[in-house]
Amino acid sequence: MNPLRVLGIDPGLNTTGYAVLEGQGRRPRVLEAGVIRPRAKSPLEERLHELFQGLQELFSTWPPAAVALEDLFSHYRQPQAAILMGHARGVICLAAAAAQVPVAAYAPAEVKKLVTGHGRAGKEQVQRAVALQLGLSQVPSPPDVADAMAVALCHLTHLQREALAG
């Protein structure tokens, strides 16, 4: 059986973290991880296009079996952030659909709980937990990369549980 490849994505309009993980079981391996950073001063439509192009490159270089990303989260003090993240999530879903790759979305608290054991874990806790679980020599940075790894780990864990139950 070929190892499963999952592209985890932490959506953002300024910085989109991504991580390509492969394998199931105790320790999946990281094939690629980084960020896509559209030019901040560009108009919205150009930034979205840059994000889409970066995602297309990822899909062609590291064809995943699935994409995992966090559900949209909104804080009442920062509704604009949720709207901008919604734009990025839409582009991510479009890129996945164009590549015919299914998308799984998880609540941020679910991802944090699975990776750290606590649904309200901070960024540093997530970074340390991901480094430990993936056997990395240092914590992934920036935190967007760790979040992408965490959501990919979450999806791999869900798939493993489904396989054991089914």
Side-chain angles (χ1 to χ4, degrees), residues 56-143:
Q56 284 184 309
E57 186 176 324
L58 276 174
F59 281 107
S60 67
T61 305
W62 302 101
V67 169
L69 62 127
E70 285 189 357
D71 275 330
L72 198 54
F73 171 77
S74 175
H75 193 279
Y76 69 93
R77 285 186 233 157
Q78 297 176 322
Q80 184 72 14
I83 292 168
L84 292 175
M85 188 191 294
H87 289 308
R89 282 186 90 248
V91 167
I92 293 163
C93 291
L94 174 63
Q100 298 180 326
V101 176
V103 175
Y106 298 95
E110 181 181 4
V111 174
K112 290 176 182 180
K113 183 169 174 101
L114 189 130
V115 173
T116 69
H118 190 285
R120 295 172 78 71
K123 294 276 186 197
E124 285 133 13
Q125 282 178 283
V126 172
Q127 285 174 292
R128 286 192 307 273
V130 164
L132 185 66
Q133 289 180 31
L134 293 171
L136 304 175
S137 59
Q138 50 188 303
V139 297
S141 184

